[in-house]
PDB file of all heavy atoms in Angstrom:
ATOM      1  N   PHE A  67     184.691  77.638 129.997  1.00 85.00           N
ATOM      2  CA  PHE A  67     185.675  78.624 130.612  1.00 85.00           C
ATOM      3  C   PHE A  67     187.025  78.636 129.823  1.00 85.00           C
ATOM      4  O   PHE A  67     187.490  79.647 129.504  1.00 85.00           O
ATOM      5  CB  PHE A  67     185.979  78.211 132.032  1.00 85.00           C
ATOM      6  CG  PHE A  67     187.072  78.966 132.684  1.00 85.00           C
ATOM      7  CD1 PHE A  67     186.777  80.313 133.176  1.00 85.00           C
ATOM      8  CD2 PHE A  67     188.377  78.481 132.802  1.00 85.00           C
ATOM      9  CE1 PHE A  67     187.906  81.042 133.739  1.00 85.00           C
ATOM     10  CE2 PHE A  67     189.367  79.266 133.339  1.00 85.00           C
ATOM     11  CZ  PHE A  67     189.167  80.507 133.789  1.00 85.00           C
ATOM     12  N   GLU A  68     187.395  77.381 129.498  1.00 83.00           N
ATOM     13  CA  GLU A  68     188.774  77.316 128.740  1.00 83.00           C
ATOM     14  C   GLU A  68     188.547  77.935 127.320  1.00 83.00           C
ATOM     15  O   GLU A  68     189.482  78.575 126.794  1.00 83.00           O
ATOM     16  CB  GLU A  68     189.214  75.903 128.689  1.00 83.00           C
ATOM     17  CG  GLU A  68     189.730  75.449 130.078  1.00 83.00           C
ATOM     18  CD  GLU A  68     190.218  74.053 130.172  1.00 83.00           C
ATOM     19  OE1 GLU A  68     189.951  73.255 129.213  1.00 83.00           O
ATOM     20  OE2 GLU A  68     190.890  73.677 131.112  1.00 83.00           O
ATOM     21  N   GLN A  69     187.407  77.644 126.761  1.00 84.00           N
ATOM     22  CA  GLN A  69     187.235  78.244 125.349  1.00 84.00           C
ATOM     23  C   GLN A  69     187.086  79.747 125.393  1.00 84.00           C
ATOM     24  O   GLN A  69     187.661  80.443 124.569  1.00 84.00           O
ATOM     25  CB  GLN A  69     185.959  77.707 124.700  1.00 84.00           C
ATOM     26  CG  GLN A  69     185.657  78.228 123.258  1.00 84.00           C
ATOM     27  CD  GLN A  69     186.833  77.739 122.370  1.00 84.00           C
ATOM     28  OE1 GLN A  69     187.231  76.625 122.263  1.00 84.00           O
ATOM     29  NE2 GLN A  69     187.266  78.721 121.562  1.00 84.00           N
ATOM     30  N   ASP A  70     186.384  80.297 126.408  1.00 78.00           N
ATOM     31  CA  ASP A  70     186.250  81.735 126.581  1.00 78.00           C
ATOM     32  C   ASP A  70     187.603  82.339 126.828  1.00 78.00           C
ATOM     33  O   ASP A  70     187.941  83.401 126.247  1.00 78.00           O
ATOM     34  CB  ASP A  70     185.420  82.072 127.766  1.00 78.00           C
ATOM     35  CG  ASP A  70     183.855  81.816 127.432  1.00 78.00           C
ATOM     36  OD1 ASP A  70     183.601  81.558 126.265  1.00 78.00           O
ATOM     37  OD2 ASP A  70     183.100  81.858 128.401  1.00 78.00           O
ATOM     38  N   ARG A  71     188.477  81.680 127.676  1.00 80.00           N
ATOM     39  CA  ARG A  71     189.806  82.173 127.980  1.00 80.00           C
ATOM     40  C   ARG A  71     190.660  82.180 126.645  1.00 80.00           C
ATOM     41  O   ARG A  71     191.354  83.131 126.405  1.00 80.00           O
ATOM     42  CB  ARG A  71     190.451  81.352 129.015  1.00 80.00           C
ATOM     43  CG  ARG A  71     191.832  81.849 129.474  1.00 80.00           C
ATOM     44  CD  ARG A  71     192.388  81.171 130.583  1.00 80.00           C
ATOM     45  NE  ARG A  71     192.595  79.787 130.221  1.00 80.00           N
ATOM     46  CZ  ARG A  71     192.879  78.860 131.096  1.00 80.00           C
ATOM     47  NH1 ARG A  71     193.039  79.063 132.373  1.00 80.00           N
ATOM     48  NH2 ARG A  71     192.994  77.571 130.715  1.00 80.00           N
ATOM     49  N   SER A  72     190.530  81.116 125.870  1.00 78.00           N
ATOM     50  CA  SER A  72     191.303  81.019 124.556  1.00 78.00           C
ATOM     51  C   SER A  72     190.773  82.087 123.660  1.00 78.00           C
ATOM     52  O   SER A  72     191.623  82.750 122.956  1.00 78.00           O
ATOM     53  CB  SER A  72     191.082  79.645 124.018  1.00 78.00           C
ATOM     54  OG  SER A  72     191.709  79.548 122.680  1.00 78.00           O
ATOM     55  N   ASP A  73     189.462  82.286 123.530  1.00 77.00           N
ATOM     56  CA  ASP A  73     189.008  83.305 122.650  1.00 77.00           C
ATOM     57  C   ASP A  73     189.506  84.723 123.122  1.00 77.00           C
ATOM     58  O   ASP A  73     189.872  85.551 122.245  1.00 77.00           O
ATOM     59  CB  ASP A  73     187.442  83.364 122.683  1.00 77.00           C
ATOM     60  CG  ASP A  73     186.856  82.106 121.941  1.00 77.00           C
ATOM     61  OD1 ASP A  73     187.623  81.357 121.278  1.00 77.00           O
ATOM     62  OD2 ASP A  73     185.653  81.810 122.121  1.00 77.00           O
ATOM     63  N   PHE A  74     189.452  84.959 124.416  1.00 79.00           N
ATOM     64  CA  PHE A  74     189.925  86.236 124.901  1.00 79.00           C
ATOM     65  C   PHE A  74     191.393  86.475 124.606  1.00 79.00           C
ATOM     66  O   PHE A  74     191.928  87.519 124.160  1.00 79.00           O
ATOM     67  CB  PHE A  74     189.727  86.364 126.404  1.00 79.00           C
ATOM     68  CG  PHE A  74     190.272  87.685 126.962  1.00 79.00           C
ATOM     69  CD1 PHE A  74     189.644  88.835 126.818  1.00 79.00           C
ATOM     70  CD2 PHE A  74     191.517  87.667 127.618  1.00 79.00           C
ATOM     71  CE1 PHE A  74     190.195  90.027 127.313  1.00 79.00           C
ATOM     72  CE2 PHE A  74     192.097  88.814 128.130  1.00 79.00           C
ATOM     73  CZ  PHE A  74     191.402  90.061 128.003  1.00 79.00           C
ATOM     74  N   ASP A  75     192.202  85.391 124.843  1.00 76.00           N
ATOM     75  CA  ASP A  75     193.648  85.463 124.544  1.00 76.00           C
ATOM     76  C   ASP A  75     193.948  85.765 123.103  1.00 76.00           C
ATOM     77  O   ASP A  75     194.793  86.559 122.769  1.00 76.00           O
ATOM     78  CB  ASP A  75     194.383  84.210 124.990  1.00 76.00           C
ATOM     79  CG  ASP A  75     194.438  83.958 126.498  1.00 76.00           C
ATOM     80  OD1 ASP A  75     194.122  84.968 127.204  1.00 76.00           O
ATOM     81  OD2 ASP A  75     194.724  82.941 126.945  1.00 76.00           O
ATOM     82  N   SER A  76     193.166  85.178 122.190  1.00 80.00           N
ATOM     83  CA  SER A  76     193.269  85.398 120.745  1.00 80.00           C
ATOM     84  C   SER A  76     192.915  86.808 120.410  1.00 80.00           C
ATOM     85  O   SER A  76     193.639  87.495 119.628  1.00 80.00           O
ATOM     86  CB  SER A  76     192.412  84.455 119.947  1.00 80.00           C
ATOM     87  OG  SER A  76     192.826  83.146 120.119  1.00 80.00           O
ATOM     88  N   PHE A  77     191.816  87.290 121.014  1.00 79.00           N
ATOM     89  CA  PHE A  77     191.341  88.692 120.804  1.00 79.00           C
ATOM     90  C   PHE A  77     192.451  89.681 121.263  1.00 79.00           C
ATOM     91  O   PHE A  77     192.748  90.692 120.596  1.00 79.00           O
ATOM     92  CB  PHE A  77     190.009  88.934 121.442  1.00 79.00           C
ATOM     93  CG  PHE A  77     189.600  90.368 121.378  1.00 79.00           C
ATOM     94  CD1 PHE A  77     189.078  90.868 120.166  1.00 79.00           C
ATOM     95  CD2 PHE A  77     189.639  91.180 122.478  1.00 79.00           C
ATOM     96  CE1 PHE A  77     188.698  92.128 120.166  1.00 79.00           C
ATOM     97  CE2 PHE A  77     189.150  92.479 122.341  1.00 79.00           C
ATOM     98  CZ  PHE A  77     188.668  93.015 121.190  1.00 79.00           C
ATOM     99  N   ALA A  78     192.915  89.418 122.493  1.00 77.00           N
ATOM    100  CA  ALA A  78     193.980  90.289 123.082  1.00 77.00           C
ATOM    101  C   ALA A  78     195.235  90.367 122.295  1.00 77.00           C
ATOM    102  O   ALA A  78     195.770  91.439 122.090  1.00 77.00           O
ATOM    103  CB  ALA A  78     194.305  89.873 124.478  1.00 77.00           C
ATOM    104  N   ALA A  79     195.659  89.236 121.644  1.00 76.00           N
ATOM    105  CA  ALA A  79     196.789  89.226 120.755  1.00 76.00           C
ATOM    106  C   ALA A  79     196.538  90.055 119.517  1.00 76.00           C
ATOM    107  O   ALA A  79     197.461  90.719 119.072  1.00 76.00           O
ATOM    108  CB  ALA A  79     197.091  87.760 120.382  1.00 76.00           C
ATOM    109  N   ILE A  80     195.327  89.939 118.968  1.00 78.00           N
ATOM    110  CA  ILE A  80     195.053  90.789 117.767  1.00 78.00           C
ATOM    111  C   ILE A  80     195.069  92.247 118.153  1.00 78.00           C
ATOM    112  O   ILE A  80     195.649  93.093 117.323  1.00 78.00           O
ATOM    113  CB  ILE A  80     193.689  90.415 117.210  1.00 78.00           C
ATOM    114  CG1 ILE A  80     193.772  88.929 116.644  1.00 78.00           C
ATOM    115  CG2 ILE A  80     193.181  91.344 116.125  1.00 78.00           C
ATOM    116  CD1 ILE A  80     192.395  88.344 116.230  1.00 78.00           C
ATOM    117  N   VAL A  81     194.442  92.561 119.217  1.00 77.00           N
ATOM    118  CA  VAL A  81     194.400  94.005 119.647  1.00 77.00           C
ATOM    119  C   VAL A  81     195.839  94.437 119.924  1.00 77.00           C
ATOM    120  O   VAL A  81     196.215  95.554 119.404  1.00 77.00           O
ATOM    121  CB  VAL A  81     193.607  94.197 121.004  1.00 77.00           C
ATOM    122  CG1 VAL A  81     193.855  95.523 121.606  1.00 77.00           C
ATOM    123  CG2 VAL A  81     192.132  93.925 120.663  1.00 77.00           C
ATOM    124  N   ARG A  82     196.719  93.698 120.540  1.00 73.00           N
ATOM    125  CA  ARG A  82     198.076  94.158 120.804  1.00 73.00           C
ATOM    126  C   ARG A  82     198.861  94.329 119.398  1.00 73.00           C
ATOM    127  O   ARG A  82     199.651  95.197 119.301  1.00 73.00           O
ATOM    128  CB  ARG A  82     198.893  93.042 121.609  1.00 73.00           C
ATOM    129  CG  ARG A  82     198.566  93.264 123.116  1.00 73.00           C
ATOM    130  CD  ARG A  82     199.512  92.369 123.932  1.00 73.00           C
ATOM    131  NE  ARG A  82     199.401  90.938 123.709  1.00 73.00           N
ATOM    132  CZ  ARG A  82     198.524  90.124 124.209  1.00 73.00           C
ATOM    133  NH1 ARG A  82     197.630  90.563 125.107  1.00 73.00           N
ATOM    134  NH2 ARG A  82     198.538  88.828 123.924  1.00 73.00           N
ATOM    135  N   LYS A  83     198.506  93.477 118.524  1.00 73.00           N
ATOM    136  CA  LYS A  83     199.188  93.534 117.209  1.00 73.00           C
ATOM    137  C   LYS A  83     198.818  94.798 116.383  1.00 73.00           C
ATOM    138  O   LYS A  83     199.671  95.420 115.763  1.00 73.00           O
ATOM    139  CB  LYS A  83     198.763  92.327 116.330  1.00 73.00           C
ATOM    140  CG  LYS A  83     199.458  92.183 114.989  1.00 73.00           C
ATOM    141  CD  LYS A  83     199.038  90.944 114.370  1.00 73.00           C
ATOM    142  CE  LYS A  83     199.686  90.870 112.925  1.00 73.00           C
ATOM    143  NZ  LYS A  83     199.356  89.617 112.241  1.00 73.00           N
TER     144      LYS A  83
END
Side-chain angles (χ1 to χ4, degrees):
F67 173 80
E68 289 178 346
Q69 184 60 50
D70 288 349
R71 185 175 59 192
S72 175
D73 291 348
F74 175 78
D75 290 345
S76 296
F77 175 74
I80 291 169
V81 168
R82 281 191 298 275
K83 182 176 179 180

